[in-house]
Amino acid sequence: MLGPGGDWAFAVLRVTGVDRSPDPTAVYEWCLITGVLTFDLRPAQAVREQYFRVPSSKWLRPGDEVPVVVRLSYLAGGRAGAISVLWDKLPERSALHAGSADAVAARLRGEQAPPAGDDRYRSGAFDDPDRPLPGSPGGGTTVQQADALLYSGVPATGTVLSVADVKVPRLLRATVPAGATIADLTLRVSPPDGASYEVRTRIGFSSQHKRSVVAVEGATLPIRVDPLDAGKVAVDTVALGFAPEVRHR
């Protein structure tokens, strides 16, 4: 999720080496990890990062491909702390082994076995890797920021110039309610005093009805603008009558 002006991006870390094995009695351990960061729209980059609280149950191994968040300015400057592994998105190794055992047992019983799990961690591809993270420059608002703008933002009008469907990133699919959809909207913002300008924001919809009201090219919407950052806007769901169902991302 990298874009112009954004300092944070999602990436995949392909592990090439880990300098030690974990203490089996420890919950967390430190280690030095080497690997390659891959982005969809940036060149691959070799990295070394020391971690001080690696869960022993999720210890990385050469060949793993795991999701990470990268602070680009730290990465460019060679500073420590540039890469954060999304540990909470990884299953424990024991769960992977248990899945493999279940598959073997099913085959021995003559049953159709579930798909065999890979003993290595595999992240898959991010579906939208090159857009700034919410809350960063160019990334729009977080859910919390959008909710706050309903009360602190400056009233304005937004005209929908374009709508682009967004496929939910694989790592976030479990958090999105069934039937929900996400879209990127390009808006022409018309403030009460000042020249109009364009902004892009990402919005999640809990129902097709909400989407049909907001995500329509040519629609004119009540919005709220951050008085300290004109690039951050929120659809005024209170004025539309269905707050807080529209969620900005």
Side-chain angles (χ1 to χ4, degrees):
M1 292 186 178
L2 168 68
D7 192 31
W8 296 89
F10 280 139
V12 173
L13 173 64
R14 301 185 179 187
V15 180
T16 58
V18 182
D19 70 335
R20 62 197 301 268
S21 298
D23 180 342
T25 65
V27 177
Y28 295 97
E29 283 273 20
W30 65 269
C31 66
L32 177 67
I33 298 173
T34 57
V36 177
L37 284 177
T38 59
F39 306 83
D40 274 9
L41 300 180
R42 287 175 61 91
Q45 182 168 346
V47 291
R48 290 165 54 89
E49 188 75 58
Q50 186 161 351
Y51 293 92
F52 294 95
R53 283 181 60 83
V54 177
S56 297
S57 62
K58 301 181 180 183
W59 202 259
L60 298 183
R61 304 170 183 171
D64 288 344
E65 297 178 359
V66 295
V68 296
V69 175
V70 182
R71 187 162 189 175
L72 299 175
S73 59
Y74 280 32
L75 184 66
R79 297 174 60 182
I83 304 163
S84 298
V85 177
L86 301 179
W87 297 110
D88 60 323
K89 302 298 182 182
L90 298 176
E92 294 188 357
R93 293 282 184 179
S94 59
L96 298 178
H97 289 299
S100 298
D102 289 341
V104 172
R107 285 195 293 270
L108 291 175
R109 293 194 301 267
E111 302 171 358
Q112 182 175 1
D118 191 338
D119 191 42
R120 298 176 296 178
Y121 288 7
R122 294 289 183 181
S123 68
F126 288 95
D127 295 309
D128 187 24
D130 289 292
R131 182 181 186 273
L133 293 175
S136 67
T141 59
T142 64
V143 171
Q144 293 77 14
Q145 289 170 339
D147 289 344
L149 284 180
L150 295 179
Y151 305 97
S152 64
V154 177
T157 299
T159 302
V160 181
L161 301 179
S162 66
V163 179
D165 290 331
V166 175
K167 188 175 182 181
V168 181
R170 184 168 307 189
L171 291 175
L172 302 180
R173 287 175 191 166
T175 68
V176 176
T181 58
I182 299 176
D184 276 348
L185 273 62
T186 301
L187 302 174
R188 178 183 294 116
V189 178
S190 300
D193 51 353
S196 62
Y197 60 94
E198 293 184 13
V199 68
R200 190 183 189 209
T201 189
R202 173 161 298 181
I203 306 178
F205 303 93
S206 63
S207 73
Q208 186 58 39
H209 169 66
K210 275 83 175 179
R211 183 186 175 104
S212 68
V213 173
V214 175
V216 179
E217 291 187 14
T220 300
L221 306 171
I223 63 174
R224 297 277 179 160
V225 180
D226 188 332
L228 302 179
D229 185 349
K232 287 184 168 56
V233 302
V235 173
D236 192 340
T237 54
V238 173
L240 289 175
F242 47 76
E245 293 290 302
V246 173
R247 311 301 290 179
H248 293 61
R249 302 178 72 86

